[in-house]
Amino acid sequence: MALTYLGMGITIPFAALAPYGIEPGIWAYTAFAAAAGMFGAWEQYRSRQGTLSSMGGNIWVTLLVLSIVLGCIGACFSILMGAAELAVRVALYSLVGMALAGLIGVRNGRLAMSANPEAWLQQRVDLKQQLLKHAPPPPVSTWQKLLIPLGIGGAAIVDALGFGRFSLLLLLLPLLLAIATFTMFKCGAEITQLWQLRKYERQHGLHFSRFPLAAIREQRRQLPLARWLCHPEALATPATPEAPAASTSAGKKRRRTKK
């Protein structure tokens, strides 16, 4: 897990900036790699695998998708066509469109919560075991289905057709933009609902997690460096049910011998 986020932290600045001919410098790679590596280590060794870590995972996925989209736009327009200014303009248009899709996702996430809060809470959480459930797909109306893939990738399509150059990457770019935009839409709705669940935890003194706490602790006991990075209670061996029975039987034997 930590190595996965470390790789994401290195990939994000490279994929986003390298096709534009911008050398971000060692500080960008170091900053992203350090932040992603620390988050991955915390997620793997010390987090509760709950709402906070899920929000962080969605944020890192959003950054990775944005970097891939920006890199593909730069590769298509700047490298293949030699039009760096066009690449920057299309990238800005696409960022605005994807931000709009994220805001639509936030709005739909809030609507799903406010329509029936009790039913929504039962869909997202098992309150008895304090376990998070898989999020249901966000509601998408017909106009949103058209707006997300077409309206947001429209800037790249118009610029590509107006420039008069076609290639396989240019034809695939609108599809990539549509996929990335819908990802932004889903992440916006998911982060909004996870934030609301985080507030519910604080109000009622609960701690939700994606997996049972015993399973998480058992997995962490087998991790390298767990002795130094995990919480002490995560490494404690659970008491076996046979131990009390053995002690009681031993006590009975002692009583019999005394008699």
Side-chain angles (χ1 to χ4, degrees), residues 13-254:
F14 179 80
L17 300 176
Y20 294 89
I22 302 173
E23 296 182 2
I26 192 64
W27 63 268
Y29 295 100
T30 304
F32 274 91
M38 290 174 63
F39 176 80
W42 172 79
E43 166 79 7
Q44 189 170 17
Y45 288 94
R46 301 184 72 88
S47 75
R48 290 180 174 270
Q49 305 282 331
T51 54
L52 192 61
S53 62
S54 298
M55 281 191 294
N58 278 274
I59 291 172
W60 279 108
V61 169
T62 302
L63 291 176
L64 183 63
V65 169
L66 288 177
S67 66
I68 293 174
V69 170
L70 293 178
C72 289
I73 292 174
C76 288
F77 292 95
S78 181
I79 297 176
L80 293 180
M81 297 181 176
E85 295 182 359
L86 184 60
V88 173
R89 187 168 68 246
V90 174
L92 292 177
Y93 290 161
S94 301
L95 284 175
V96 172
M98 285 186 285
L100 175 63
L103 292 176
I104 295 174
V106 170
R107 174 181 174 273
N108 280 23
R110 294 180 65 88
L111 289 177
M113 292 184 294
S114 60
N116 193 342
E118 295 183 359
W120 169 79
L121 189 62
Q122 292 178 357
Q123 288 181 349
R124 294 306 311 265
V125 182
D126 184 352
L127 291 176
K128 185 176 181 180
Q129 300 182 1
Q130 298 188 26
L131 292 178
L132 293 173
K133 298 179 181 179
H134 293 290
V140 185
S141 62
T142 304
W143 69 272
Q144 288 170 347
K145 291 179 181 178
L146 295 175
L147 173 66
I148 291 171
L150 296 179
I152 295 172
I157 297 175
V158 172
D159 281 333
L161 294 177
F163 198 76
R165 295 285 300 274
F166 294 93
S167 68
L168 181 61
L169 287 177
L170 283 176
L171 294 177
L172 291 178
L173 182 59
L175 177 61
L176 177 64
L177 286 170
I179 295 174
T181 303
F182 196 75
T183 302
M184 293 286 293
F185 170 78
K186 291 183 64 177
C187 286
E190 180 67 9
I191 291 173
T192 303
Q193 297 188 27
L194 287 171
W195 179 256
Q196 185 64 30
L197 289 175
R198 180 69 175 170
K199 292 171 62 177
Y200 186 88
E201 283 180 320
R202 293 179 177 179
Q203 291 174 358
H204 296 83
L206 302 175
H207 296 286
F208 301 140
S209 61
R210 298 191 299 271
F211 309 100
L213 189 58
I216 296 175
R217 291 179 176 178
E218 181 64 26
Q219 182 184 12
R220 285 177 176 170
R221 291 190 193 99
Q222 304 173 5
L223 293 175
L225 304 178
R227 180 180 178 183
W228 296 275
L229 297 179
C230 289
H231 289 289
E233 59 269 18
L235 303 178
T237 304
T240 56
E242 289 80 4
S247 61
T248 53
S249 61
K252 291 180 179 179
K253 289 181 180 179
R254 291 176 184 174

